[in-house]
Each structure stands twice: as C-alpha cells, then as structure tokens.
Amino acid sequence: MELQRPRGTQDILPKDSAKWQVVEAAAHRVAQSFGYAEVRTPTFEHVEVFRRGVGDATDIVEKEMYEFKDHGDRDLVLRPESTAAVARALLQASAFAEPPVRLYYMQSHFRYERPQAGRLRQHTQFGVEVYGAGGPLADAEVIALAQSFLAELGLRNLSVRLNSIGDAQCRPAYRAALVAHLEGHREELCADCQRRIERSPLRVLDCKKEGCRRVVAEAPQPIDHLCEDCLRHLEGVEAALFALGISYARDGSIVRGLDYYTRTVFEIQYAKLGAQSTVCGGGRYDGLVEALGGAPQPGVGFGLGLERLLLTLEEESLLPADRSAVDVFVAAIGEELGNEALRIAQLLRGHGLRVEQDILARSLKAQLRRAQKVGVAKVVILGPQEFARGVATVRDMVSSAQEEVPIDQLAARITAPVRE
Ligand SMILES: [Zn+2]
Ligand SMILES: [Zn+2]
C-alpha cells in the first residue's frame, strides 16, 4: 500500500505555498499596522486548557479533540483552537499587567470532524485577541482589523453582521425566557439539545440541526433582553464602525453559545453570486480568563480560517498568477567554470537578486531551457574565452539582447526587478 497523508490533511506544494505566503504576508502586515504583536503557542496543550477554556459541553471538547497520553501519562491534546491557549499563555506569563494586550496568531488547529471543502482536520487560523479593554472601541478595532485584512486581499462585497448576547447582568432573565421556550418545544429538538436545556441552553442557539433551527428561529432573542449597559455597549460599537465608514447590520441569528461569551458577537460575510459566506467570526469573551483560573479580564477577538479564505480568493481570481521564483540564472559553459558560476551567483544574491545556477553540469542549451522554464529576466553566460577576458555575457530573456559585462560590474548592472 502506498503511503498517503491522513484524511482531512493537505500537502501544500510550491504552486500553492506561494499563495499561502501572499495571504500570510497580508495578515502580518495588517495586524502589525494596528500595533498587534504575534504570539505562538505549543501545538499540544494539557487537555484542561480547553475543557475549561472552551467548555466541556461543546462539540469541540466532547467529540472533536485529538487527545492522547504521553509517556509520562499526561492527558494532552493537539490544539483545537487558539483563544484558550493564548489566554493560558498570557496568564502563565503574567502578561495582563499592562493593558491593553494586543496579539495576533496564525497557527494550525486540529479537530476530528467530517472533512469538507475549506474545512480540514488540520486547518490554519489567523486570529487576534485584545485583553484588558472592556469598552466598545476594542470591539470596533478588531472588526476594523479583520475588514482591512480582507480588503487588502481584494475582497470587496463584505458585510459585518453584528449582535449582542448580553452579560452577567441581563443573561439570567434571558436564559430563563429561553429555557421556557425550549421546554415548550422539547420534542422538536435533537437529543443533544434536549440535554442542553438544563445544562447550557445557550448552546441550542448554535445547533445546526434543522429541527433545532426552527425552534431557535421562534425563540426569544438575546438582543431583546439586553440591560442598559449592554445596549449602550452595542450602540458604542455601531457608532465606532460608523465613524470608520464600515457598513454593518444587526443580525440576531449570530450567537456564541458559551457562557463566557459576552455582549458583542459578529461575523464578516462575503457576498458571492447568490450566497453569503462567512469568512470571519468573532466576539467578546469577558469570562474566559476567569474560567481558566485568572482574575477577570475583558477580551475580544476574531478567528479567520485561511483554507476557506484561500478557496474564496481563488474563486474570485484574487490570488496573483504564478510568478517566477528566480530573477537571474547563471549558466556556465564547461564544468571548469562551475565554481566561478557559484561565486557569481552568490555575489548577485548579496545584491538582493534571486539567483539560480546550474548544478547538473548540463550543456549550455539545456541550461538556457531551464532558465526559460523558471522564467528568469536575465541569464549570465560564463564562457571560457570571455572569462579569460574578465567578462560575461548577459542575455535579456525578454528582448533576447546580449551584451558583455565585466564580471566585477555584474552586480551593479543587473538590477533587481520591483517585487511586491
Ligand atoms: Zn440540536
Ligand atoms: Zn447586560
């Protein structure tokens, strides 16, 4: 049997890794332009981080984690998401002392779920986290950051869908109203949701099952039960988005069914022919750090799946066409000049050029074919007679024009093309 990659994973080969690099570069650039610094957490964590930080009763923790014991009998798990892991890292580093803390991450998550397009068992998320800022400006800032990132990649028809799910002050009354409604429709709910009514009724709002969605559509909405403070917070987020010129709409169907989520939840949707697709989701989680055992810390952020985003960019032809990976090819006539070609290539690299030289001792014809194939702009041809005179031939691959250039002037005469 041939060796194959595990189901739900992918290999990213050079043709595609160039596209990933475009998206990753945009993420670093935009996040840093907002003053966010990168954080990287371990690929595996103690399972407790996610039991407490994501919630025991969630699908992620109940069904989707890659859990294992190491040789020291520790219960470990491949990171299924990053928000709880980042909060754990900040707690451990006592990094909450000087708010606000602004971070971004770009790392893999591992979840055992049914693979589908843009949804893999190992997937990559770009996300941001802001801690220590409880006001609406922080919410608006992370939404603006996500919006800027997507716009930077060329996505235009974006809409921000906004909702509020209340806080500790108004949640109990809402929760009671929701439980009463769900009790009245118990038979129509899936088995999971029937169990959730007592334990975590808000999670029913998230259920994707048809019957549950029908019951939820008729259920009381969090937004109609907001206290004065939560309402003012929501209006503050809206005013900030308005000031930034970001269009948004309230959307009661956007929820996060976890108790530590508070107030703002949002999605950024992209309108393509006939359909809306969610490219980014986020919200406020003022209860998370406390759930992990720290002092309460307001937090807000978003997560954005890069596999799905790449599919969207591909569909919209927004990814750059394949570009040459190399600017200059150094060809040597005769094996004796191989070392000289290496030296010249190295010299040109020192001047910011991307350079390849022959390492197969091929004929000049074969070397030029290779240069053509990799799409270089210039070829430096090193022949024995020219070398004896201290010159090399530089051929322009577009115009086919050739000229002799003193070897010690090559770097000055061949300038790097402008690259993005
Ligand atoms: Zn359900
Ligand atoms: Zn409230």
Side-chain angles (χ1 to χ4, degrees):
M1 198 186 116
E2 283 176 49
L3 294 177
Q4 307 231 323
R5 61 176 178 267
R7 183 165 145 81
T9 63
Q10 66 178 342
D11 300 308
I12 301 175
L13 297 172
K15 166 173 79 69
D16 293 317
S17 59
K19 293 169 185 167
W20 275 89
Q21 287 173 6
V22 168
V23 171
E24 288 162 357
H28 288 295
R29 198 163 55 236
V30 172
Q32 288 168 18
S33 79
F34 278 74
Y36 287 56
E38 189 185 11
V39 58
R40 304 182 191 195
T41 64
T43 301
F44 57 92
E45 293 269 358
H46 292 288
V47 70
E48 220 33 48
V49 171
F50 304 104
R51 285 203 199 291
R52 285 153 68 173
V54 179
D56 262 342
T58 58
D59 283 351
I60 294 179
V61 171
E62 271 181 348
K63 304 174 189 161
E64 298 172 356
M65 292 204 297
Y66 282 89
E67 291 184 67
F68 61 99
K69 277 195 190 290
D70 71 1
H71 295 297
D73 209 33
R74 297 174 189 89
D75 289 310
L76 299 173
V77 58
L78 296 182
R79 178 181 56 218
E81 62 99 55
S82 287
T83 295
V86 169
R88 193 273 309 141
L90 292 173
L91 266 174
Q92 187 165 353
S94 308
F96 292 119
E98 284 180 58
V101 179
R102 291 182 169 103
L103 298 170
Y104 73 96
Y105 61 83
M106 207 164 359
Q107 53 191 20
S108 294
H109 297 161
F110 306 84
R111 293 185 197 171
Y112 191 80
E113 47 187 351
R114 213 163 59 80
Q116 37 187 304
R119 196 89 194 130
L120 298 170
R121 288 180 174 170
Q122 175 178 350
H123 60 268
T124 316
Q125 196 167 85
F126 165 47
V128 310
E129 319 274 343
V130 179
Y131 282 103
L137 291 184
D139 309 42
E141 181 177 285
V142 303
I143 293 170
L145 197 165
Q147 168 96 13
S148 300
F149 168 66
L150 296 167
E152 170 109 350
L153 291 168
L155 288 178
R156 288 291 173 266
N157 300 314
L158 298 168
S159 68
V160 176
R161 321 293 297 182
L162 198 60
N163 195 16
S164 175
I165 54 170
D167 63 358
Q169 219 182 127
C170 50
R171 180 87 49 80
Y174 169 68
R175 193 182 167 114
L178 178 64
V179 168
H181 174 82
L182 296 177
E183 284 292 1
H185 295 81
R186 178 174 280 274
E187 298 310 310
E188 298 154 58
L189 297 172
C190 73
D192 282 342
C193 285
Q194 293 191 9
R195 276 188 287 114
R196 286 169 183 150
I197 295 179
E198 289 77 31
R199 207 168 149 207
S200 54
L202 295 170
R203 288 214 44 232
V204 179
L205 301 172
D206 271 343
C207 186
K208 301 284 179 279
K209 302 242 169 62
E210 185 73 19
C212 303
R213 295 193 76 116
R214 269 199 308 273
V215 174
V216 166
E218 305 283 298
Q221 297 287 319
I223 204 161
D224 298 322
H225 290 76
L226 297 182
C227 65
E228 194 54 41
D229 289 347
C230 285
L231 200 56
R232 210 171 321 120
H233 185 92
L234 176 61
E235 287 166 357
V237 177
E238 290 174 330
L241 292 178
F242 183 78
L244 286 166
I246 295 173
S247 62
Y248 62 87
R250 287 190 188 181
D251 184 339
S253 73
I254 291 165
V255 287
R256 288 282 186 285
L258 294 173
D259 281 339
Y260 62 71
Y261 277 101
T262 47
R263 296 187 172 166
T264 309
V265 283
F266 70 89
E267 286 182 359
I268 299 180
Q269 297 178 346
Y270 175 66
K272 46 184 177 186
L273 282 174
Q276 293 283 324
S277 81
T278 298
V279 288
C280 173
R284 180 164 275 288
Y285 30 86
D286 291 349
L288 170 63
V289 176
E290 203 175 3
L292 289 173
Q297 283 292 338
V300 59
F302 69 74
L304 202 154
L306 294 186
E307 282 81 7
R308 185 178 294 180
L309 175 64
L310 272 145
L311 283 182
T312 302
L313 294 171
E314 197 111 45
E315 282 163 20
E316 301 291 323
S317 308
L318 288 170
L319 288 168
D322 280 353
R323 282 173 304 171
S324 172
V326 186
D327 305 314
V328 179
F329 190 94
V330 180
I333 303 171
E335 251 175 281
E336 319 72 64
L337 288 174
N339 286 343
E340 198 52 36
L342 276 181
R343 195 188 65 79
I344 290 173
Q346 193 70 352
L347 190 81
L348 296 176
R349 289 181 192 118
H351 283 77
L353 292 160
R354 299 173 302 177
V355 188
E356 178 179 325
Q357 85 284 324
D358 183 59
I359 49 172
L360 295 174
R362 287 180 288 197
S363 69
L364 179 62
K365 201 171 153 200
Q367 292 183 56
L368 291 176
R369 231 179 4 245
R370 168 72 190 173
Q372 188 91 47
K373 186 155 180 259
V374 296
V376 298
K378 299 259 165 60
V379 178
V380 174
I381 303 167
L382 209 53
Q385 281 107 38
E386 291 86 353
F387 181 64
R389 287 190 286 120
V391 299
T393 303
V394 176
R395 177 197 286 227
D396 185 304
M397 294 300 275
V398 180
S399 67
S400 293
Q402 296 198 159
E403 58 170 341
E404 280 190 351
V405 175
I407 288 171
D408 57 9
Q409 286 175 33
L410 280 170
R413 296 278 287 277
I414 303 175
T415 47
V418 179
R419 285 193 293 269
E420 285 170 44

